Amino acid sequence: MRPVSFGRALRLGACTTLAAGLVTVGLTAAPALAETESDQLWIDAPSEQTLPLGTDGGAPQSRTIDVGIYHDNGHFTVTDGKVSVDASGLAGVGEVTWPDTCAPNGATAVCSVPDVPVIGSDYSRQIHLGIRAVAGAQAGARGRITYGATATGGPDGTLTAPEDSFETDFTLASGPDLSLAPVADVEHAQPGGTETIPVALTNKGDESAHGVTVKMTASYGVDFLNKYDACTYTRTGGDEYAPMTDATCTFDQVLAPGDSFELPAPLQLAIARHALNDRLDISVDPATARPTSRAATTTRPCRSARTTPPTSR
């Protein structure tokens, strides 16, 4: 799910994180020695993805694969991140369109991340690869992309991600493939106010989706202001965990390949005055899967976010 944040400065996506301003006053203790002695670089990439085949002999649609890097210890400044991407394992299965931040060399590339963040409110994956099935590939074919990364910084001056630990496996599949549209950033959300979030999706697969299921989860500081007749709403938590509201919506809509769908009315959220580091998660699936199709699911990774500087199917 794509990260979104709201509060004093609201950022929205398929996943929404809300935070009210938080100010603390007091003395800041010096960081413990152990905290400043260690740091680790990590690669953030999806472990598995499906790629749709072409429709009626046409070219397959491209899918964007987001990849990022981050490190653990905010006491260090980490820069000059280099992510090596090896797509040779996609031969005969898929092909990659490299973004401007990558320098390709055949089936491999080195992608630049000038500033490497710690994971948290401002983190999002920095590299966006376009990948689609190659012409003539058959359903069930599999391929793999592997990653490595280094960066400048940390206690020893250089950080290296664990080797042979990060890859994305791809499978070509026939069936509907529902993809949530990105949501533009929204600024200046206020606790006690409301926000309107457009929710739209497109079938990027090669078969029709016979019905659409939309699932949404709003955490404690966010509530659904408008209710849809096609949705059921349940409240969970409240004992050991903060309460959340789940909405499961089933729409009797047939989406042929390339068709799009929006909620009957834009989604409106009420932002509670106690909202702090809250989030909205959205996922979409075909309501029913035909025997010959795959039940495609599109989710966008969520991350936490704060409205004032001091937070991933």
Side-chain angles (χ1 to χ4, degrees):
M1 301 179 195
R2 180 165 298 181
V4 193
S5 43
F6 29 152
R8 306 295 183 196
L10 175 68
R11 303 176 61 190
L12 292 179
C15 227
T16 304
T17 304
L18 176 148
L22 174 64
V23 178
T24 59
V25 178
L27 298 177
T28 302
L33 181 60
E35 293 180 326
T36 61
E37 282 187 335
S38 64
D39 199 1
Q40 178 62 56
L41 183 68
W42 300 100
I43 300 171
D44 178 23
S47 60
E48 295 182 350
Q49 291 286 302
T50 55
L51 294 178
L53 298 173
T55 304
D56 297 328
Q61 294 205 39
S62 179
R63 163 164 286 181
T64 299
I65 303 300
D66 298 325
V67 179
I69 56 174
Y70 64 91
H71 68 108
D72 287 335
N73 194 333
H75 296 132
F76 291 105
T77 297
V78 179
T79 61
D80 195 28
K82 302 295 183 185
V83 180
S84 59
V85 182
D86 185 349
S88 60
L90 282 181
V93 176
E95 56 189 9
V96 180
T97 300
W98 302 101
D100 292 341
T101 54
C102 298
N105 180 15
T108 65
V110 176
C111 304
S112 298
V113 179
D115 299 304
V116 181
V118 293
I119 200 161
S121 61
D122 295 326
Y123 172 77
S124 62
R125 292 173 176 173
Q126 306 97 339
I127 303 163
H128 313 292
L129 307 176
I131 302 178
R132 68 177 182 180
V134 298
Q138 300 297 310
R142 296 178 62 86
R144 171 176 290 183
I145 292 179
T146 58
Y147 312 95
T150 61
T152 301
D156 301 320
T158 301
L159 294 176
T160 302
E163 297 182 359
D164 302 322
S165 299
F166 303 96
E167 64 273 329
T168 303
D169 290 319
F170 295 87
T171 303
L172 303 191
S174 177
D177 182 11
L178 303 186
S179 176
L180 283 165
V183 179
D185 290 354
V186 179
E187 302 293 338
H188 309 303
Q190 296 294 329
T194 63
E195 288 297 332
T196 300
I197 303 175
V199 178
L201 57 96
T202 300
N203 182 6
K204 295 186 175 182
D206 65 335
E207 295 184 10
S208 295
H210 296 266
V212 176
T213 296
V214 179
K215 295 181 179 180
M216 300 178 286
T217 298
S219 58
Y220 179 49
V222 185
D223 199 8
F224 299 104
L225 194 58
N226 57 338
K227 302 291 198 298
Y228 305 104
D229 293 338
C231 302
T232 57
Y233 298 86
T234 56
R235 191 78 163 167
T236 59
D239 296 327
E240 296 183 6
Y241 303 99
M244 297 184 296
T245 302
D246 296 316
T248 300
C249 315
T250 301
F251 298 97
D252 186 16
Q253 182 85 16
V254 177
L255 295 183
D259 285 355
S260 297
F261 171 78
E262 296 181 0
L263 293 179
L267 177 65
Q268 293 184 320
L269 296 178
I271 304 171
R273 295 190 181 279
H274 60 254
L276 179 66
N277 290 336
D278 287 278
R279 59 192 283 163
L280 172 72
D281 297 334
I282 306 175
S283 65
V284 294
D285 294 271
T288 58
R290 298 172 60 188
T292 57
S293 69
R294 62 190 176 90
T297 301
T298 301
T299 59
R300 302 291 182 93
C302 286
R303 60 181 169 86
S304 298
R306 292 178 182 266
T307 53
T308 55
T311 106
S312 322
R313 125 198 198 175

